[in-house]
Amino acid sequence: MHRFNHLRLPLAAGLALLLAAPLPARTRKGDRLFKEGQAVEAKNDWEKALEFYERAVAEDPNDASYMMAVRRVRFLAGQARVSQGQKLRDQGKLEEALGEFQRAFAIDPSSMIAEQELRLTYQMIEREKKKAAEPGAKPSTPEERATTPAQAARKEVEERIANYQSVPELKPVVRQITSLKMNNQPPRVLYETLAKLAGLSVIFDPDYLQQAGARNFSLELSNATVEDALDYLAVLTKSFWKPLSANAIFVTQDNIQKRRDYEDHVLKVFYLQNVTTVQELQEISVAIRSVVEARRLFTYNAQNAIIVRGTADQVAIVEKLIYDLDKPKSEVVVDVYVMEANRARTRDLAAALASGSTVGGLRTPVQFTPRNPVLFGNQSGAPAGSSNETTGASSTTGASSITGYQSLVSSTTASQAAISLAQLSRVSTNDFSVTLPGMLFQAILADRTTRVLQHPQVRTVEGQKGDLKIGDRYPYATGSFQPGIGGVGVSPLVSTQFQFADVGVNVNILPKVHPNNEVSMHIELDMSSVKDRIDVGGLSQPVIGQRKMVHDVRVKEGEVTLIGGLSVLQDTRSMSGLPGLSSIPGLRSIFGSNSTEKNQGELMIALIPRIVRGPVFTESNLKGIASGTDQQIKISYRRSPEPGAAEAPAPQPPAAPVAPAPAAPAETKPSPPPQPPAPPRLTLTVSEPQARLGSTVSVTVAVENVTDLFSAPLRLKFDPKVLRLNEVTRGDFFARDGQNVIFTRNIQNDVGEVAVNLNRMPGTGGMSGSGVLVTLVFQTTAPGPSVITVLDAPLKNSKLEPVNLPAPETTIIVK
């Protein structure tokens, strides 16, 4: 034992030294280098931080934090070099960029982007060397040097696509035919004469010349364009013409086969901007395919695009249909007000003989309590032999049987009273007992009132259902199953399936906006709450009270509509008491009780729809266009003579040109210097600056020389002691083009302020020029002056940029 104590001291000292020594994975120098690297990394000097981290790893190779810092900063340092190289290459400095990419690859050899950019830059340098070695080569510009092979190929494709020509457009020398009359001439002569007048060339199909030369026609034109004259001649001679270039046309027979052979086709991709679902894109494509009968029409869902290849007239009709159908949907904001008030009033009055909890009646049970009951077990009066069995029981088996016997006897005596048969003749009233009832006086009054007000708001797009759910989700059991039979020590488990019910206010609205600021709505409103809970199969299940309404309404914008009003009034009265005595008028209140219950419930639901984006249909959307015949689609364009274009006279023998006489030089007068445009401004105009007491005065708020005005929120101040604002009406400036205008006003006569807001519909642009914004109608209430001032006017254009105008003011003097 003494020797062990001598060994304990060196062992404890060794353990202390071992615990005091630092772990082999961390050193003081490594921590210092790591902290210096963190400080440099905070300054985004990635390469310097990488150097410190690598030195820290060299000190402690097994430290995981050092290794993670090295990997992280190595990637960032390489990416910084790659980004710098890309900037230099974009400037055309290929050699400098190559050096940056080489350094990036040296820092992080695992960087694929550095290797890729290094190889690409090297190829660009070799390309420039080969180009410079060609005889007569010009030095490349920085933009050309910075062009990668992929960019060069894409640029060639873009230039080639830009050089693609559309169908030829006819550009005759003379656009207007003033008068032309030819009688009994073959179609060839008619076409050639018309072409010469317009300065065009005509090429005929040989098949057409063979069939059309057997019949002559007469032609008379007056003030017609060249295209209209050619169309008229084509209908007359049953021919088909098309432009081959700006000054040449081709004429052939008008039949399906010739049109398929010679009619030009156009390929075009239409990108729809307002389509939100694939179904909408498919519906538009089906409508176009059905109307135009375009065989080559396809949809590309990823870009909401429709690809069409057809004749120029077919593609033109497709363009018109897409312009008419691809429109933003209307949007509606619906304010839902749910107001519910419930009241329950209960009154209980009772004064009666009562026993236990019985109220209003009498229930007195008579019990049998014999004076000489038969007792069992260790009690006196037990049957003979029972004591011997108890005392003589020395075995375990006997004890068990006695215990079972006593349990049986106890159960029997607890349920009924037993007497000896020898005492049966002595049973009398002394063996029975009764409990005398007491008196009960009860007067209870309960009054409960509940009010619920909910104000959800739903915003949805036309044709799409808007859902709003406010409340909780309560679980309820829907079924159960037993997965297996339990074995020894394992209880069989029953799995219960649950679902969740949405309890609260659930609103589903499907709106439809009409052009006259009316809204149709399909409304499903469900209000539910947990009224109670019941026990079903050992599970507590919620009892959910529900009120559900389904309506279809059509209302004006901003109109308050009650879609569900429900009033419930329930009166319940009950009486109870002693039979006979409770019916006697004088004793009714003593031997009886009465209860009165009144339940009142009121439910009102109000909807207020507001249109935040309405339908926009322009004149071109509602205009019908000529589309040809049943077998052939043909679009007719309205053409006007080009400015300065000459008019073709009637065909006459050519005459020698007469040189115009030189005009006398007119006296030149210096033109006045151009006047600068008038600056835009906001004005206030008073109908009567000096008004009488009790009269009405109008103040007009107008703008002058504005450009692209889209929104005009205004806030004006006046003296409420002198003036009272009765009405604010909207001017015609914002609605001159027939578009809808959002107009709101808020009059506060108590403080002498009015707020007006004018907004054009989104997508309709702004208005330019001068005009009236609003007109204020005041009532003079007291003598004295009142200054009307524009406190705030944050006007905006269609780009929602501020339009700064000085705030005016005016004065009204009431006499």
Side-chain angles (χ1 to χ4, degrees):
M1 185 69 180
H2 181 70
R3 183 177 302 174
F4 179 77
N5 291 333
H6 282 286
L7 294 176
R8 183 184 300 177
L9 183 58
L11 180 60
L15 289 175
L17 292 175
L18 181 62
L19 294 176
L23 295 177
R26 300 188 66 90
T27 63
R28 186 174 302 174
K29 184 177 181 181
D31 291 341
R32 179 177 56 80
L33 294 173
F34 184 75
K35 292 180 180 179
E36 291 180 1
Q38 288 179 330
V40 176
E41 182 183 357
K43 300 177 182 179
N44 295 336
D45 192 351
W46 312 115
E47 296 185 19
K48 191 68 174 177
L50 179 60
E51 179 183 352
F52 282 111
Y53 290 148
E54 287 178 344
R55 291 171 58 187
V57 171
E59 292 292 333
D60 300 323
N62 296 326
D63 193 290
S65 59
Y66 297 169
M67 296 297 298
M68 293 176 60
V70 168
R71 294 192 181 103
R72 184 186 70 254
V73 176
R74 177 178 287 122
F75 172 78
L76 295 174
Q79 285 297 113
R81 287 289 183 179
V82 170
S83 300
Q84 183 64 23
Q86 290 174 344
K87 293 179 181 178
L88 293 173
R89 190 177 61 191
D90 293 340
Q91 299 173 5
K93 302 176 181 179
L94 301 182
E95 288 76 10
E96 292 86 341
L98 182 64
E100 291 292 334
F101 294 139
Q102 289 174 346
R103 284 188 286 272
F105 186 74
I107 292 173
D108 188 6
S110 64
S111 176
M112 296 299 298
I113 185 64
E115 181 181 357
Q116 178 182 351
E117 297 293 337
L118 180 63
R119 187 181 300 109
L120 178 60
T121 307
Y122 183 76
Q123 293 176 359
M124 295 171 63
I125 293 175
E126 293 297 323
R127 180 195 63 189
E128 293 299 322
K129 290 180 179 180
K130 293 179 180 180
K131 184 177 179 181
E134 296 178 357
K138 297 181 180 180
S140 300
T141 62
E143 290 78 9
E144 294 175 347
R145 289 174 57 85
T147 303
T148 64
Q151 292 174 346
R154 183 173 182 85
K155 185 177 181 180
E156 292 178 0
V157 173
E158 293 176 352
E159 292 176 353
R160 189 161 54 249
I161 292 176
N163 291 328
Y164 290 164
Q165 296 293 327
S166 181
V167 292
E169 182 181 358
L170 195 64
K171 295 182 179 179
V173 177
V174 178
R175 178 69 69 178
Q176 192 80 7
I177 304 298
T178 304
S179 177
L180 176 61
K181 183 175 182 181
M182 291 181 288
N183 296 323
N184 198 22
Q185 297 294 331
R188 179 170 185 173
V189 175
L190 297 176
Y191 270 108
E192 289 179 346
T193 303
L194 182 60
K196 288 181 179 179
L197 290 176
L200 303 175
S201 300
V202 185
I203 299 175
F204 292 96
D205 184 8
D207 297 338
Y208 174 74
L209 294 178
Q210 292 178 4
Q211 297 182 7
R215 183 181 177 186
N216 295 339
F217 300 90
S218 298
L219 177 66
E220 183 176 358
L221 298 173
S222 178
N223 294 326
T225 62
V226 174
E227 291 83 357
D228 293 339
L230 291 173
D231 290 339
Y232 179 51
L233 185 57
V235 173
L236 182 65
T237 60
K238 294 183 179 181
S239 58
F240 158 63
W241 70 274
K242 73 166 191 175
L244 294 178
S245 63
N247 56 0
I249 62 174
F250 174 78
V251 181
T252 186
Q253 301 168 353
D254 189 7
N255 54 51
I256 297 178
Q257 185 61 39
K258 291 296 183 180
R259 283 187 175 270
R260 289 181 178 176
D261 293 342
Y262 294 107
E263 195 167 18
D264 295 329
H265 278 219
V266 177
L267 173 65
K268 191 170 183 179
V269 180
F270 297 94
Y271 297 94
L272 280 67
Q273 303 296 325
N274 300 299
V275 172
T276 56
T277 61
V278 176
Q279 180 182 357
E280 296 176 7
L281 182 64
Q282 296 296 333
E283 289 178 355
I284 293 178
S285 65
V286 170
I288 293 174
R289 189 179 288 110
S290 301
V291 173
V292 183
E293 297 181 356
R295 296 179 298 168
R296 298 177 178 88
L297 186 146
F298 304 94
T299 58
Y300 182 54
N301 299 332
Q303 296 289 338
N304 289 335
I306 296 180
I307 307 170
V308 182
R309 184 177 183 269
T311 65
D313 293 331
Q314 286 179 333
V315 174
I317 291 184
V318 171
E319 185 177 22
K320 173 68 167 58
L321 291 176
I322 291 178
Y323 175 76
D324 294 340
L325 298 177
D326 184 26
K327 289 187 172 295
K329 292 184 178 181
S330 303
E331 291 189 43
V332 178
V333 172
V334 182
D335 292 325
V336 183
Y337 291 88
V338 180
M339 291 161 281
E340 183 177 5
N342 298 318
R343 182 177 183 182
R345 184 182 179 92
T346 305
R347 186 189 66 179
D348 289 335
L349 299 177
L353 296 174
S355 176
S357 59
T358 304
V359 178
L362 180 62
R363 187 186 67 177
T364 304
V366 178
Q367 300 178 354
F368 179 54
T369 56
R371 292 169 295 168
N372 53 350
V374 178
L375 302 178
F376 300 94
N378 295 327
Q379 302 176 10
S380 62
S386 61
S387 177
N388 296 333
E389 293 181 6
T390 304
T391 58
S394 59
S395 64
T396 306
T397 305
S400 299
S401 62
I402 292 173
T403 303
Y405 176 76
Q406 290 178 347
S407 300
L408 178 62
V409 171
S410 300
S411 175
T412 304
T413 57
S415 60
Q416 61 184 357
I419 64 173
S420 175
L421 292 177
Q423 302 294 333
L424 185 61
S425 59
R426 299 182 181 181
V427 174
S428 64
T429 56
N430 294 325
D431 297 316
F432 295 90
S433 62
V434 64
T435 302
L436 296 179
M439 292 295 295
L440 172 68
F441 297 92
Q442 178 175 310
I444 300 176
L445 178 64
D447 193 350
R448 183 178 60 200
T449 302
T450 305
R451 290 194 178 115
V452 179
L453 174 61
Q454 293 178 331
H455 178 203
Q457 190 178 69
V458 182
R459 176 167 180 166
T460 181
V461 180
E462 178 183 10
Q464 296 183 5
K465 181 180 292 186
D467 295 336
L468 178 64
K469 296 181 179 180
I470 302 176
D472 303 319
R473 304 192 71 194
Y474 281 82
Y476 62 93
T478 57
S480 62
F481 65 92
Q482 186 169 342
I485 299 176
V488 178
V490 179
S491 62
L493 300 178
V494 177
S495 298
T496 305
Q497 299 173 349
F498 290 90
Q499 290 187 3
F500 291 86
D502 293 323
V503 178
V505 177
N506 302 323
V507 182
N508 295 329
I509 298 179
L510 183 65
K512 169 66 179 177
V513 180
H514 302 281
N516 54 351
N517 290 337
E518 291 187 355
V519 181
S520 297
M521 294 181 293
H522 175 77
I523 306 163
E524 297 180 4
L525 184 60
D526 183 3
M527 294 174 297
S528 56
S529 61
V530 177
K531 297 294 185 181
D532 197 0
R533 286 186 175 274
I534 59 176
D535 191 354
V536 179
L539 295 176
S540 178
Q541 298 292 314
V543 178
I544 300 176
Q546 186 182 50
R547 295 181 181 181
K548 186 173 183 179
M549 285 157 284
V550 179
H551 286 271
D552 289 281
V553 296
R554 178 167 176 168
V555 296
K556 278 281 189 181
E557 178 192 9
E559 180 180 353
V560 180
T561 303
L562 300 178
I563 66 169
L566 179 63
S567 298
V568 178
L569 178 61
Q570 181 180 358
D571 289 346
T572 303
R573 185 176 182 182
S574 60
M575 295 184 61
S576 61
L578 292 175
L581 296 178
S582 61
S583 302
I584 301 175
L587 302 177
R588 180 178 303 170
S589 58
I590 300 176
F591 296 97
S593 66
N594 62 81
S595 176
T596 304
E597 182 176 356
K598 293 184 178 181
N599 292 326
Q600 297 178 354
E602 296 181 0
L603 174 65
M604 185 175 65
I605 303 165
L607 295 180
I608 306 176
R610 303 186 188 278
I611 301 174
V612 295
R613 179 186 290 124
V616 179
F617 300 107
T618 61
E619 182 180 357
S620 59
N621 297 138
L622 305 176
K623 176 184 177 182
I625 61 173
S627 59
T629 62
D630 181 69
Q631 298 296 327
Q632 185 61 42
I633 294 179
K634 177 65 177 176
I635 296 294
S636 300
Y637 295 92
R638 180 175 57 190
R639 299 179 178 90
S640 57
E642 295 181 357
E647 296 182 355
Q652 295 178 356
V658 179
E667 184 179 356
T668 60
K669 296 182 179 180
S671 58
Q675 297 294 331
R681 63 172 184 163
L682 188 67
T683 63
L684 292 178
T685 304
V686 183
S687 60
E688 295 182 12
Q690 297 183 357
R692 294 176 298 174
L693 182 62
S695 62
T696 58
V697 182
S698 299
V699 178
T700 302
V701 184
V703 290
E704 295 180 358
N705 307 318
V706 296
T707 302
D708 192 26
L709 185 60
F710 180 80
S711 173
L714 303 172
R715 192 163 64 94
L716 294 88
K717 178 73 174 178
F718 59 91
D719 190 352
K721 299 178 181 179
V722 179
L723 300 176
R724 177 180 178 81
L725 183 57
N726 294 335
E727 186 180 2
V728 180
T729 59
R730 177 175 60 86
D732 61 344
F733 177 72
F734 273 138
R736 287 179 180 175
D737 56 351
Q739 298 292 338
N740 294 330
V741 180
I742 302 175
F743 173 56
T744 60
R745 55 194 177 275
N746 183 16
I747 302 174
Q748 300 179 2
N749 281 312
D750 52 344
V751 296
E753 288 188 7
V754 56
V756 181
N757 193 1
L758 293 166
N759 280 282
R760 286 175 59 83
M761 298 300 294
T764 59
M767 295 295 293
S768 301
S770 304
V772 177
L773 296 179
V774 292
T775 300
L776 313 177
V777 180
F778 289 95
Q779 179 79 29
T780 59
T781 58
S786 174
V787 179
I788 302 176
T789 308
V790 177
L791 297 179
D792 191 14
L795 309 181
K796 295 182 180 180
N797 57 15
S798 59
K799 298 180 181 179
L800 300 182
E801 297 174 347
V803 179
N804 298 320
L805 297 180
E809 65 178 27
T810 187
T811 303
I812 298 177
I813 300 176
V814 180
K815 298 182 178 180

